Amino acid sequence: MQVWDELDVKTFLDFSKTDRFYIVYLLALTTGMRKGELLGLKWQDVDFTNKTISVKRAVTRKKGGGFEIGSLKTGHSYRNISLFDYVIKELEEYKHEQRKFKMKNRKTYKDEGLITASSSGSFILPRNLDRSWLSALDESMLKKIRFHDMRHTHATLLLKQGTHPKVVQERLGHYSVTVTLDLYSHVSPTIQKTAAENFGDKIFGTQSAQTK
C-alpha cells in the first residue's frame, strides 16, 4: 500500500484538471470508491441537493470473458457517500460539458446515463482507464501509486485528520469497522498522537505547553 499526502492529492488534481478522466480521479480521491464502482456510476446516483452519491453497481469482469455493468461484491458495498462542496461543483460543470457533447453527437451517442462514458455512450473498459491513469501519473512526476491506492489515500487521510473509523468504514463499504482498522493499522500512531493533543488542548488549552 502506497498513499499520497494532502499536497500530493492537490498537486495531482491540479495537474490532471484537463484530463479526460479528471472526474474519475477526483471521485476516487475524495470518496474512496473502487475502480469498477466509479465506472458504473450514473447521473441518477448523484443527489445534488443533499450532496451525496449512491454506489449501486460496478463494471465487473464476466465469467465468459469481457466486462459488464453488474451488481456489487457484497451488501455492504451498496452505500451513500457524502460529497464535498467542491466535488459537487465539479460534477455540475462536468455534467454541463457532457450534455453539450451529447447534443453535438446525438446521432451516434447512445445515452445510458453514465457519468463517465465512451464517445458512443457505453461504459469505459478498466484497461482504458488504467492506460490514461498511468500516463497522467508518469507526467505528474509524483510518487508512483496504483489506481487502487487512491482509495487507500482517501481512507488514510481521513483517519489522520481525526475522522471516526466508523465513518471511514461506511464510505469505503467495508464489512465492519474492524476490517477498516486492521487495514489501516499503520495510521494508528498518528491517530493516537492527534487524539492526545486534541484532548489536552480541549482541557488545558495552551497551559500545558507553557508549563514545560
Side-chain angles (χ1 to χ4, degrees):
M1 184 189 301
Q2 295 289 325
V3 298
W4 281 338
D5 60 22
E6 289 90 344
L7 180 59
D8 291 330
V9 170
K10 178 77 164 58
T11 300
F12 182 76
L13 290 176
D14 287 343
F15 173 82
S16 62
K17 182 74 173 180
T18 59
D19 191 286
R20 174 190 177 191
F21 293 115
Y22 167 74
I23 203 69
V24 179
Y25 307 148
L26 177 64
L27 288 171
L29 287 164
T30 58
T31 68
M33 291 172 63
R34 302 175 178 91
K35 185 193 305 178
E37 295 170 345
L38 291 161
L39 295 178
L41 283 173
K42 295 189 176 185
W43 286 113
Q44 67 191 43
D45 303 326
V46 182
D47 185 336
F48 286 99
T49 301
N50 294 309
K51 301 176 184 178
T52 63
I53 197 162
S54 299
V55 185
K56 299 178 178 179
R57 69 194 72 78
V59 172
T60 58
R61 189 180 295 275
K62 294 191 293 186
K63 289 184 178 180
F67 292 85
E68 64 181 354
I69 294 182
S71 56
L72 301 176
K73 293 165 56 176
T74 67
H76 289 84
S77 295
Y78 293 86
R79 60 201 188 277
N80 292 326
I81 304 173
S82 294
L83 301 176
F84 304 101
D85 289 343
Y86 177 80
V87 178
I88 287 291
K89 173 178 167 292
E90 291 295 295
L91 279 168
E92 289 173 337
E93 292 182 4
Y94 181 80
K95 186 176 185 180
H96 176 68
E97 292 301 315
Q98 189 187 71
R99 188 183 295 116
K100 290 195 297 184
F101 180 85
K102 291 177 184 177
M103 288 298 296
K104 185 178 180 180
N105 299 276
R106 54 184 175 274
K107 292 183 178 179
T108 57
Y109 194 93
K110 183 180 178 182
D111 194 357
E112 298 180 18
L114 291 164
I115 292 180
T116 304
S118 68
S119 58
S120 63
S122 61
F123 65 82
I124 297 293
L125 293 173
R127 64 173 175 269
N128 292 338
L129 173 60
D130 288 339
R131 193 177 299 118
S132 292
W133 152 253
L134 290 172
S135 176
L137 183 59
D138 284 340
E139 293 177 15
S140 72
M141 303 296 288
L142 290 169
K143 179 175 71 173
K144 297 296 185 292
I145 65 172
R146 302 168 301 166
F147 188 97
H148 194 71
D149 285 330
M150 287 195 281
R151 174 175 166 84
H152 295 317
T153 293
H154 177 69
T156 298
L157 292 181
L158 283 179
L159 290 168
K160 284 185 175 180
Q161 292 163 8
T163 304
H164 195 287
K166 182 64 177 176
V167 174
V168 179
Q169 174 222 332
E170 292 172 349
R171 291 180 72 84
L172 297 184
H174 284 160
Y175 174 73
S176 71
V177 72
T178 303
V179 174
T180 307
L181 291 171
D182 286 346
L183 188 59
Y184 299 103
S185 58
H186 64 283
V187 190
S188 294
T190 302
I191 297 176
Q192 290 269 16
K193 184 174 184 294
T194 301
E197 291 174 348
N198 289 341
F199 185 83
D201 287 343
K202 293 294 184 182
I203 297 178
F204 303 108
T206 59
Q207 293 181 17
S208 57
Q210 293 173 350
T211 57
K212 290 182 179 179

